[in-house]
Amino acid sequence: MRILIDNFTKTFGTTTVIRDMTLDIESGEMLALLGPSGCGKSTTLFAVCGIHRMNGGRLLFGDRDVTTVSSQDRNVGVVFQNYALYPHMNVFENISFPLKIRKESKADIDAKVREMAKLVHIEDLMERKPAQLSGGQQQRVALARALIRKPDVLLLDEPLANLDAKLRLEMRSEIRRIQQETGITAILVTHDQVEAMSMCDRIAIMNKGQIVQLSSPSEMYNEPASAFVAGFMGNPPISFLDGTVEGSSLRLDQSSIVLPLPESSRPASPASRVKLGVRPEYFQPENPDKVEGKISFIEIQGRETLYDVTLENGAVLRSIQSSGPLHKLGDTVRWGVDHSRVLAFDESGARL
Amino acid sequence: MRRSHLLGLGFMTPAILLTLALFIIPVVLTGVFSFTNMSTSTGITGGAYEINPRSIRLMKDAGLREGLIGDLEENLYKIDAAGLAQVEKDFGKKLAEEMKGAYDGQTFKDRRELVRAIKDLKSRPRSSRDLNKAADLFQKSILNVRYDDESAFLNGLGNLGITLQDGEQAELTRFAYTGWVWTTENFSNMAAMPSTYRAAFNTVLYIAFTLTFNIVFGVFLAVATFYLPSAAASTFRTIWFLPRILPHVLYVILWKWFTWDTGFLSQVLEPFGVAPRNWMMDTEINAWVSIVLINGFVGASLGMILFSSAIKAIPSSMLYASEVDGASRLQQVRYIILPQLRWPIMFTSIYQTLSLLTSFDYIYLATDGGPGSSTTVWALYAFKTALNNYGGNLQYGFGAALALVLVGIGILASVLYLRLFDFKSMNAAPRIEQ
Ligand SMILES: Nc1ncnc2c1ncn2[C@@H]1O[C@H](COP(=O)(O)OP(=O)(O)OP(=O)(O)O)[C@@H](O)[C@H]1O
Ligand SMILES: [Mg+2]
C-alpha cells in the first residue's frame, strides 16, 4: 500500500520538530528513514501509526485519507525500538494480542500464531515470558506481533539497535526476507547507514525535521546532494578539505597543496570557497594526484587497515587499504586522490 | 565491643525505644489487663472489703445461702459501749447502767425485740416514741461499711453476731472484695455473648465493603486521571485527596451536615416529595452505606496515589503498542493496565485490611456504632467496653481482652503477609520489564 506523507508538520508546544515534510512511499517498498539523533525520525513514525496527531498536512494510505483516523483503525504494525512486549503475557499471548482484541476465534488465532511463529523462527518459545527471552528473540516476537494481523504498513523503529553485531546481521536479512515475502510496505527508522543501505529499496535522509535527500542506496552514496548527506553515508566516513578555487584547481587553505577539481563541479565564480569530499577508498597510494602528509592514526580492522593522514595545514584525509599495515605511525607518505571521484560542495554545503 | 557496633546500637536505639513504647509495652499491658476483671468499680489499684447493694445482688445471683444474705441486709441491734454512752447522754445514767448490766454485748434481730427487752427494765422510758429512740441508738449494719483488710472485715461480721457456716467465709470475702482479681472469665464471657459475634460479623462486613470500595474506586480514579490532560488530572487528584488531609472531625461533620434531617440531602429531596430524615441513621442499611462511603473516600485516595504512580511506571511505548495493536481504551485498561496493577492492588488490600481492622474513628464520629449496635465493629466495641461506656462502668479487663483478640489477628495476618511478600519477591520475575 502506498503511503503519502503530505506537508506534514509536527509541533510540541511551541517548538516545531518537523515542518512541511513530504514523503511518498511506493506500495511494497521498504524505505529507510535515516538521520542523526533527534532529527524527528521517531516523530514521523509515530505520526504515521497515529500515536501522534499531525499538526498540519495529510497522510494517505493508498487513496484513503487517514490523517484523523485513530491508531486503532489504521491497521499499522509497529516494532518499537525497545520492542514494548507485554511483560505479563507469554510469547503466544503477546503475538496473539492484536487478534484477541479483534475477538477472533480461538482456532483461528492458534493457527495464525503458529504460522507466524514459524515465519520468524520462534516456535519453541511460545510459553516463555519476554523477560526469559534474548534480545533477538524478543525482537522477533515483536515483529511477529506487528505482522500477525496482516497490516497494510509495517513500521520499524530502530529494531536492531539493541542487538549484537552478529545478530544484527542475521536480523537484517531476516526482516528483509519477511518484508519481501509478505510484500508489505515498510518504513525502517535507523541512524545506522549500513543498515539502511543493506535493507532498503530507498533511503530518506532527514536532518532537523526535513528530508534532505531521497534516493536509492547506491545513488545516495555516490551522488550525495549535500555535504551533510555525504558525511552521513559511508563508514569509515568521508573526509573534507576546505580551499579556494584557482582556475580549474583548488588550493587548500594555508598550504601549498593544489588539487584538480572534477570538470562537472567547477563553481561559476572564480576564487570562491569550496569544500572537497574525499572518501577513504579514493585516497590510495597508486592514484595520480599526490598529497603529502604524516600518518597520525592507524586502525587495524582485520581485512582492511584505516589510516588518518594529517596534511601540512592540519586537515586530515582518511585512507582505507586492503593490504596489511605496511606503514607506521608518524611515517610521511605521498598518496594520491582520485580526482574523478571527489565530491565538491559549495560554502552552504550544497553539491556543485 | 567494637566502636562500630556501639555506633550501630546508637542508631538503632531510637527505633528500639519507639517499638518498645508504642508496640511492645502496650501489647504486654493489654495482655496483662485482659486476664483481670478491672473496671471502674474495682479501680486499678488494690481494693477494700465491703458489703454493698451490688455485692448483695451478685451473691443472690450466685445463689448464696438466703439466711446469710438476709443477715447481711438486715439492720441489727447490738448493745455496745458507744450506744450505751449515747443512752446515758439522752436518757440518763440509770437506764444506761441498767442496760449494761442486763444486755451488754447482746445482739437483737430487730427493733421490736430490743424495745421489748428495754420494757423489762425498771428505768425504762415511758413513751413508746422514746423507747424506739433509745433502741435506735444501738442500730448496726455491715452494709456500706468499708474494711481495709480481710481480718477487719471478718471481725466486723463477728461483732455483729453474723455467724458463717463452713466454707462460706471464703466466698463471702470474695464477694465483699471491691478490688480487681485475676480471672479468665473475660474470654469465656466473650465467647458466650451474642454482642461479640455481632461485632465480629460487623467487622468482616466493614472490611469487605470498605476495602472493595477503596480498591475499585481507587483504581477507577487512577485510571480516569491517567487519561485526563495532566492539569485536569492533578486538580482532580487534589480534590479526591482532600478528605485525607481534612481533620477527621471536620470531615465527618461535613457528612453529617450532608445527611441530617435538615441537611443538604433532605433539603434537596424535599421538593420531590421525599420526607426529610436523618439519612445517615435512618436505617441500618443507611448507616452502613454511610460508613463505607465515609471510610471509602478516604481510603480510595491512598489507592489512587499508589495506583497512579504504578500506571505512570508503565513504559509509554507499551501503551502505544497496545493502541496500534487495536486495543480500545477499555481493552487497554483491562489487558495492559490492570495486570500491571496487580502488585499495588495486593499491597493496598493487605495494608488496608490491617488498618481497617483496628480503625473505628470515623464510625465513632459518624454513627457511634448505631443505630443500635448495627455498625459497632470489634475495635469500637472494645473501645466502648473499656473506655467509653454510657453505663459509666468501664470494663478495662474485658475491653483489654477484646483488644487482645485484635492484636492477635493483626500480628498473625502481618506475619502471613510478610512471608507471602518475601516469598514472592524472591521468586517472581521483575514486575515491569524495561
Ligand atoms: N513529547 C515531546 N515533547 C517535546 N519534544 C519532543 C517530544 N518528543 C520528541 N521531541 C523532540 O522532537 C525531536 C525529534 O524527536 P524524535 O524522537 O523524533 O527523534 P529521533 O530522530 O527519533 O531521534 P533518535 O535517533 O535519538 O531516536 C527531538 O528534538 C525531541 O527532543
Ligand atoms: Mg527515535
Side-chain angles (χ1 to χ4, degrees), chain B residues 132-196:
Chain B
N132 284 344
K133 231 166 129 187
D136 280 345
L137 294 174
F138 297 95
Q139 183 184 333
K140 291 281 177 314
S141 171
I142 193 144
L143 273 185
N144 298 327
V145 179
R146 280 179 82 90
Y147 299 93
D148 281 339
D149 56 36
E150 191 176 347
S151 60
F153 173 63
L154 292 176
N155 243 346
L157 283 178
N159 282 343
L160 283 178
I162 296 171
T163 49
L164 298 173
Q165 294 178 358
D166 283 351
E168 279 181 345
Q169 183 181 325
E171 221 167 345
L172 191 60
T173 44
R174 190 162 66 78
F175 280 112
Y177 185 60
T178 61
W180 59 270
V181 293
W182 298 104
T183 174
T184 53
E185 265 173 24
N186 292 328
F187 294 97
S188 49
N189 285 349
M190 198 189 299
M193 282 162 69
S195 54
T196 312

Side-chain angles (χ1 to χ4, degrees), chain A residues 148-309:
Chain A
I148 187 83
R149 63 201 163 124
K150 311 248 175 297
D152 298 328
V153 173
L154 178 65
L155 307 178
L156 305 149
D157 192 354
E158 309 199 20
L160 308 178
N162 294 343
L163 306 185
D164 67 58
K166 182 164 171 289
L167 200 57
R168 193 175 304 185
L169 273 175
E170 247 173 64
M171 288 313 299
R172 259 191 225 160
S173 47
E174 194 99 330
I175 291 176
R176 180 63 164 162
R177 170 180 68 83
I178 292 166
Q179 186 264 334
Q180 284 175 331
E181 268 175 36
T182 51
I184 196 169
T185 311
I187 304 180
L188 172 78
V189 161
T190 176
H191 49 218
D192 178 354
Q193 44 92 20
V194 180
E195 206 170 288
M197 293 211 283
S198 59
M199 289 172 75
C200 296
D201 301 307
R202 283 194 300 164
I203 298 175
I205 292 210
M206 282 186 78
N207 189 26
K208 296 183 183 139
Q210 304 277 345
I211 304 266
V212 290
Q213 189 173 354
L214 176 62
S215 318
S216 70
S218 62
E219 194 187 332
M220 187 73 80
Y221 187 75
N222 295 319
E223 300 296 336
S226 67
F228 173 79
V229 174
F232 211 82
M233 303 298 295
N235 186 23
I238 197 166
S239 23
F240 291 107
L241 302 170
D242 291 310
T244 314
V245 176
E246 281 180 2
S248 63
S249 305
L250 184 75
R251 172 176 295 280
L252 300 191
D253 291 345
Q254 291 141 26
S255 76
S256 55
I257 304 170
V258 177
L259 286 171
L261 280 172
E263 263 147 60
S264 55
S265 47
R266 292 198 183 129
S269 57
S272 57
R273 312 256 322 133
V274 161
K275 190 188 276 287
L276 211 56
V278 183
R279 291 203 184 277
E281 58 269 37
Y282 302 132
F283 179 52
Q284 299 289 338
E286 64 276 12
N287 286 345
D289 303 308
K290 300 288 186 205
V291 177
E292 193 178 272
K294 237 186 203 149
I295 295 181
S296 57
F297 181 76
I298 302 178
E299 187 180 305
I300 298 161
Q301 297 183 338
R303 190 157 39 81
E304 287 148 341
T305 309
L306 178 69
Y307 299 99
D308 278 9
V309 177

Side-chain angles (χ1 to χ4, degrees), chain A residues 12-13 15 17-18 35-44 52 81 157-158 189 191:
Chain A
F12 288 113
T15 51
V17 174
I18 289 170
S37 186
C39 69
K41 306 181 296 288
S42 297
T43 307
T44 307
H52 287 339
Q81 180 168 356
D157 192 354
E158 309 199 20
V189 161
H191 49 218

Side-chain angles (χ1 to χ4, degrees), chain A residues 46 49 51-52 71-72 76 78 80 82 84-89 97-98 100-103 130-131 138 145 149, chain B residues 315 317-329 331-332 335-337 339-340 429-434:
Chain A
F46 282 2
C49 66
I51 289 166
H52 287 339
S71 56
Q72 281 91 345
V76 176
V78 183
F80 290 86
N82 56 9
L85 298 176
Y86 309 123
H88 53 285
M89 302 182 193
F97 186 72
K100 187 174 166 187
I101 289 300
R102 294 174 165 188
K103 306 211 159 56
Q138 290 186 28
R145 187 181 63 185
R149 63 201 163 124
Chain B
S317 63
M318 221 159 83
L319 297 171
Y320 292 154
S322 69
E323 272 170 37
V324 293
D325 281 345
S328 65
R329 281 278 157 90
Q331 286 170 322
Q332 195 174 51
Y335 294 116
I336 310 296
I337 293 180
Q340 306 284 345
R431 318 272 152 75
I432 293 173
E433 244 323 279
Q434 185 51 15

Side-chain angles (χ1 to χ4, degrees), chain B residues 87 212 216 306 393 398:
Chain B
V87 167
T212 310
V216 171
L306 284 172
N393 186 21
F398 188 43

